[in-house]
């Protein structure tokens, strides 16, 4: 006989227009819906209205699977994932060309985004299972009205060591003092050019001066290093690489040069890609004694320091030299979908089971199964460019 909790769960999930997954008494199973597969009419909960690939729970005939917090975050290749990136919103006050299509994106209705309490509950589940670093992303996380309260609750989770944020810096200078009080202890600020007119071209908005002000505010508040994320594109800002390196001379800044990556709507072209090796050659051509630093096994970046400079520089080589073997990152999207690989199209909804009333053990089974399906490495550069994936603003920076 089916247990009462399972019957209740099935009752709650009986409205197929709201949920497109089924539950049996013992476990959640999964299937991957490709972008070409027909989507259930009126079922926004497990697939975006744009039709991107996701994974949702469905009836499974497999044997019950035992899941424990000790192995929930370990994939089939033995990688332990202690780093969770949480997107708080799909909205942004910039329109960066590599992040958002020129025509904009269809935003998820507010009612289908994770609430404050849902974010804290899921984060608590991950932290209690071994995650010790959370990064808040967007969209632009600072435009979420409850950002301070979210930081306060997350920073109080027992076992969390690092609460970080990636932001465009437009409104950060005013909010950062309070955010630091609420436990935000690491900051990445996106800045792709030091030229105000070029900033307006790249982001389709004004505001370069405000970003520079936010960088200075972060330094004054004691963030060390203040990380600057710079997406390098040929013919756009590759002529500024050495100017960015110069920023590290007197300030505790880590400039992170990021290879241009393909996402839906950003018109990626291999001709725009400036490979890491080429960027490093430019730096070494102008700065003498550029030293290679020791990287952590899970680092996404290759780290360097110019002799005599206060700060450092790094290169994130997602396209030319992937770092999948040491990947320890997982992503929770603003709509509650769980993504185990930035470049992988598969997603599984955590929001829908949450709202169906599942308990923590069942939620851990869903998470653990998704982590176990993570591949050894993402596809090659040109295969990534052809893979259906969401725009970066939907995924989270």
């Amino acid at each position: 006989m089916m247990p009462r909790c399972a019957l209740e769960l099935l009752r709650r999930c009986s409205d197929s227009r709201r949920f497109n997954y089924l539950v049996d008494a013992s476990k959640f199973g999964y299937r991957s819906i490709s972008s070409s597969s027909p989507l259930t009419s009126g079922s926004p909960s497990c697939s975006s209205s744009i039709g991107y690939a996701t994974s949702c729970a469905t009836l499974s005939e497999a044997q019950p699977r035992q899941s424990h917090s000790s192995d929930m975050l370990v994939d089939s290749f033995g990688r332990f994932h202690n780093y969770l990136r949480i997107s708080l919103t799909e909205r942004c006050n910039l329109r960066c060309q590599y992040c958002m299509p020129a025509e904009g994106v269809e935003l998820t209705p507010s009612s289908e985004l994770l609430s404050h309490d849902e974010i804290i509950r899921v984060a608590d589940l991950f932290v209690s299972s071994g995650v010790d670093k959370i990064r808040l992303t967007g969209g632009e996380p600072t435009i979420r009205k409850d950002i301070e309260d979210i930081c306060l609750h997350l920073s109080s989770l027992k076992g969390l060591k690092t609460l970080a944020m990636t932001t465009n810096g437009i409104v950060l200078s005013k909010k950062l003092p309070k955010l630091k009080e609420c436990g935000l202890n690491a900051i990445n600020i996106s800045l792709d050019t030091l030229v105000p007119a070029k900033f307006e071209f790249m982001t389709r908005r004004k505001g370069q001066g405000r970003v520079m002000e936010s960088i200075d505010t972060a330094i004054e508040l004691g963030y060390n290093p203040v990380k600057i994320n710079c997406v390098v594109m040929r013919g756009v800002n590759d002529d500024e690489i050495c100017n960015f390196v110069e920023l590290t001379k007197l300030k505790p800044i880590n400039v992170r040069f990021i290879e241009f990556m393909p996402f839906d709507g950003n018109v990626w072209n291999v001709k725009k890609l400036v490979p890491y090796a080429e960027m490093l050659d430019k730096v070494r051509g102008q700065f003498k004694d550029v030293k290679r630093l020791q990287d952590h096994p899970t680092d996404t970046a290759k780290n360097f320091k110019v002799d005599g400079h206060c700060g450092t520089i790094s290169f994130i080589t997602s396209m030319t030299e992937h770092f999948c073997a040491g990947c320890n990152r997982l992503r929770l999207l603003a709509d509650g979908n769980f993504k185990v690989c930035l470049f992988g199209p598969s997603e599984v909804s955590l929001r829908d089971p949450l709202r169906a009333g599942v308990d923590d053990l069942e939620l851990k089974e869903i998470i653990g199964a998704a982590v176990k399906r993570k591949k050894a490495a993402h596809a090659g550069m040109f295969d990534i460019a052809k893979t259906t994936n969401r725009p970066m603003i939907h995924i989270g920076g």
Side-chain angles (χ1 to χ4, degrees):
M1 183 175 180
M2 187 173 291
R4 180 186 294 179
C5 63
L7 288 170
E8 174 65 13
L9 188 55
L10 283 171
R11 183 187 66 78
R12 296 186 189 188
C13 294
S14 61
D15 185 354
S16 62
R17 291 173 299 176
R18 184 175 179 188
F19 301 102
N20 63 346
Y21 62 92
L22 297 173
V23 183
D24 70 5
S26 59
K27 61 166 283 186
F28 283 88
Y30 308 88
R31 62 189 175 90
S32 182
I33 306 174
S34 71
S35 58
S36 59
S37 299
L39 299 175
T40 303
S41 175
S43 301
S45 54
C46 289
S47 62
S48 74
S49 58
I50 319 172
Y52 291 101
T54 89
S55 296
C56 303
T58 187
L59 189 64
S60 173
E61 300 299 328
Q63 292 297 315
R65 175 180 59 258
Q66 297 298 318
S67 179
H68 306 283
S69 60
S70 59
D71 66 4
M72 181 186 89
L73 301 176
V74 180
D75 68 16
S76 58
F77 302 95
R79 293 173 296 198
F80 178 68
H81 299 77
N82 66 325
Y83 181 3
L84 177 66
R85 301 172 71 98
I86 302 177
S87 176
L88 299 181
T89 178
E90 296 175 350
R91 298 182 180 277
C92 188
N93 44 12
L94 294 180
R95 296 291 184 270
C96 297
Q97 294 187 29
Y98 56 80
C99 182
M100 183 182 289
E103 67 275 12
V105 295
E106 185 176 346
L107 297 174
T108 303
S110 297
S111 62
E112 295 176 21
L113 301 178
L114 290 184
S115 68
H116 169 282
D117 290 347
E118 289 169 336
I119 291 170
I120 302 304
R121 180 185 169 189
V122 174
D124 188 18
L125 194 68
F126 275 96
V127 173
S128 65
S129 300
V131 164
D132 60 16
K133 179 176 181 178
I134 289 177
R135 177 173 299 279
L136 303 177
T137 69
E140 172 49 41
T142 60
I143 67 174
R144 182 151 172 159
K145 293 180 180 179
D146 56 354
I147 181 64
E148 290 90 354
D149 197 43
I150 288 174
C151 286
L152 185 62
H153 281 81
L154 291 177
S155 65
S156 68
L157 296 178
K158 185 178 180 180
L160 188 70
K161 298 176 181 177
T162 303
L163 179 60
M165 178 186 290
T166 296
T167 168
N168 61 30
I170 292 293
V171 300
L172 182 67
S173 62
K174 295 179 180 179
K175 295 194 173 189
L176 192 53
K178 181 64 175 178
L179 289 171
K180 187 177 182 184
E181 288 180 13
C182 292
L184 186 73
N185 56 17
I187 195 80
N188 287 48
I189 300 174
S190 297
L191 180 65
D192 303 314
T193 178
L194 300 173
V195 181
K198 195 184 292 186
F199 180 92
E200 186 174 353
F201 167 74
M202 295 180 73
T203 68
R204 306 183 181 106
R205 296 291 187 274
K206 296 180 183 293
Q208 194 265 355
R210 280 182 282 171
V211 181
M212 297 302 295
E213 181 183 353
S214 292
I215 293 170
D216 289 337
T217 299
I219 293 171
E220 291 167 7
L221 288 172
Y223 286 93
N224 186 358
V226 176
K227 295 184 177 180
I228 298 177
N229 292 347
C230 178
V231 177
V232 180
M233 291 176 281
R234 190 179 306 281
V236 179
N237 62 345
D238 56 323
D239 59 332
E240 296 186 63
I241 290 173
C242 291
N243 295 334
F244 272 97
V245 176
E246 195 65 38
L247 291 179
T248 70
K249 188 171 185 178
L250 300 176
K251 297 180 179 181
I253 288 173
N254 170 229
V255 178
R256 299 158 66 80
F257 297 108
I258 303 171
E259 291 180 338
F260 183 38
M261 297 176 281
F263 294 96
D264 276 15
N266 72 352
V267 197
W268 184 86
N269 187 309
V270 69
K271 294 179 180 179
K272 295 182 182 179
L273 172 67
V274 183
Y276 143 68
E278 182 180 332
M279 288 191 269
L280 182 57
D281 283 345
K282 283 193 175 188
V283 175
R284 283 182 164 152
Q286 181 164 327
F287 298 93
K288 306 306 176 186
D289 203 6
V290 180
K291 298 178 180 178
R292 184 77 157 89
L293 301 177
Q294 181 65 47
D295 303 329
H296 188 275
T298 61
D299 272 352
T300 60
K302 294 174 173 61
N303 301 296
F304 295 81
K305 183 179 178 67
V306 178
D307 190 43
H309 281 215
C310 177
T312 57
I313 61 172
S314 304
F315 299 89
I316 299 179
T317 62
S318 303
M319 303 307 293
T320 61
E321 294 184 26
H322 72 71
F323 32 81
C324 300
C327 184
N328 67 336
R329 292 152 180 80
L330 301 170
R331 293 171 181 267
L332 179 65
L333 279 56
D335 63 3
N337 274 14
F338 179 52
K339 194 173 179 70
V340 297
C341 176
L342 173 62
F343 294 111
S346 294
E347 301 174 2
V348 60
S349 178
L350 300 186
R351 179 201 64 203
D352 296 341
L354 271 173
R355 296 182 182 180
V358 302
D359 61 23
D360 285 354
L361 180 59
E362 292 168 309
L363 206 55
K364 285 182 178 181
E365 288 189 355
I366 296 172
I367 295 167
V371 172
K372 292 296 185 294
R373 292 196 303 276
K374 185 171 182 174
K375 296 181 179 180
H378 62 63
M381 177 168 60
F382 294 102
D383 288 329
I384 290 174
K386 294 182 289 186
T387 301
T388 299
N389 203 354
R390 300 214 217 184
M392 192 61 175
I393 195 162
H394 274 167
I395 298 172

